[in-house]
Amino acid sequence: MEQNWRHLPPPARPIAAAATDAVGAAQHRDGDALADAVARMAALDPAHTGLILGVTVRLLLEDTQPDGIDAEGVRAVLERSVRGASEWQTEVDPHVILLLLAGALGVADEDDETPPPKLDELARHAALLLADLLGPRPVPPFLTAALAEIERAQLND
């Protein structure tokens, strides 16, 4: 069954659709479908996409680590995500996963002079990280919660 995102604001619809497809492909270890969905995600507004995916990652971290996450918890998520992606022979860069985790947790190093990864790399690694954090659960409820949280934050600003 295809997820209907018509209830979302127009800028969020293609992001939610592409992210759902990318995470589903990663969960099913379908490299071709992952590449197609990542290409769609990478072509979208990087600020909106990054915000939506980052909040979704944070919500999943909060869900899987209800007592809070410390450095050891981040390391465990990083290792599990990298190992899981490597098991199905997809290329994974632990540094990119770490950047995504740091960004989602709000501890990214803004002064880092290292050039950021390309958008398609960020999108692919975000899908792999989300798939790992979700396990067999579907992503739409968490994307919906992330979008609701973003909307609340924007209304309160």
Side-chain angles (χ1 to χ4, degrees):
M1 182 178 102
E2 188 172 312
Q3 174 69 37
N4 179 342
W5 295 108
R6 283 182 284 189
H7 63 285
L8 297 179
R13 292 175 194 160
I15 297 168
T20 299
D21 292 347
V23 172
Q27 287 174 317
H28 292 97
R29 298 181 175 196
D30 184 340
D32 292 335
L34 178 60
D36 290 343
V38 162
R40 289 181 14 234
M41 265 199 309
L44 299 169
D45 181 292
H48 288 141
T49 303
L51 176 62
I52 292 168
L53 295 177
V55 172
T56 306
V57 167
R58 184 182 51 75
L59 290 176
L60 278 162
L61 288 170
E62 290 172 357
D63 184 67
T64 59
Q65 308 278 331
D67 295 330
I69 190 163
D70 58 8
E72 191 160 318
V74 170
R75 184 177 15 261
V77 169
L78 175 65
E79 289 174 358
R80 191 184 63 235
S81 296
V82 170
R83 192 176 325 108
S86 297
E87 285 175 359
W88 61 285
Q89 278 87 36
T90 189
E91 229 176 276
V92 62
D93 183 343
H95 181 72
V96 177
I97 298 283
L98 183 60
L99 288 174
L100 291 168
L101 287 168
L105 294 170
V107 295
D109 184 3
E110 300 292 327
D111 297 329
D112 188 6
E113 294 184 22
T114 306
K118 293 180 180 179
L119 295 177
D120 60 334
E121 281 297 297
L122 286 169
R124 190 167 70 75
H125 283 75
L128 294 170
L129 175 59
L130 286 166
D132 176 70
L133 290 169
L134 283 162
R137 298 177 292 177
V139 72
F142 288 93
L143 277 172
T144 300
L147 289 160
E149 184 170 314
I150 292 166
E151 182 180 34
R152 274 191 304 277
Q154 289 175 344
L155 290 174
N156 290 327
D157 279 348

